[in-house]
Amino acid sequence: MHNRKTVLFPKTESILETFGENIRLARLRRNVSSSLQAERAGISRPTLSMIEKGAPSVSLGSYVQVLVSMGLEKDLLKVAADDELGRKLQDLKLPLRRRAPKKMIGHGK
């Protein structure tokens, strides 16, 4: 099996690191050990450690399993829920309704 390192932009790395740190802090606030958290999520302890570091090589499913095991899965539903830019772009593509030209009543033959 090939072990390829995922190459990410620095901003993407920072987002993942913050995401992992937020997961770690949520676990610590619940006073749950990493071993117990991994068991609850159905993943290995090393995988949990990688998640808490924001590793891009860990599957999104594993990240979600950890969130579910902490009752935080609804946080994921907030992602792109308020897509202001996307809605503006969509609105630009909406056809403009045009009215038919007014008929001239009483003007003519």
Side-chain angles (χ1 to χ4, degrees), residues 3-77:
N3 242 354
R4 285 189 247 166
K5 180 171 170 46
T6 306
V7 179
L8 302 173
F9 292 115
K11 183 176 180 178
T12 305
E13 284 180 352
S14 176
I15 290 168
L16 277 172
E17 287 170 6
T18 301
F19 186 37
E21 178 68 9
N22 289 348
I23 289 172
R24 186 180 79 79
L25 291 172
R27 176 180 62 78
L28 293 174
R29 283 190 293 271
R30 286 162 176 73
N31 200 27
V32 175
S33 71
S34 59
S35 297
L36 180 57
Q37 185 62 58
E39 182 180 328
R40 287 179 177 176
I43 60 175
S44 69
R45 201 183 145 305
T47 298
L48 177 62
S49 176
M50 290 174 62
I51 287 171
E52 291 183 350
K53 292 176 184 173
S57 59
V58 178
S59 75
L60 180 58
S62 294
Y63 276 88
V64 174
Q65 278 300 111
V66 173
L67 292 173
V68 167
S69 69
M70 288 192 284
L72 296 172
E73 67 277 1
K74 289 185 180 176
D75 286 0
L76 278 178
L77 299 178

Side-chain angles (χ1 to χ4, degrees), residues 84-102:
E84 189 175 325
L85 175 61
R87 289 193 177 132
K88 286 180 180 179
L89 292 170
Q90 182 182 29
D91 289 347
L92 289 174
K93 294 179 183 176
L94 293 177
L96 293 175
R97 294 185 68 184
R98 299 188 188 260
R99 297 186 73 171
K102 292 184 180 181

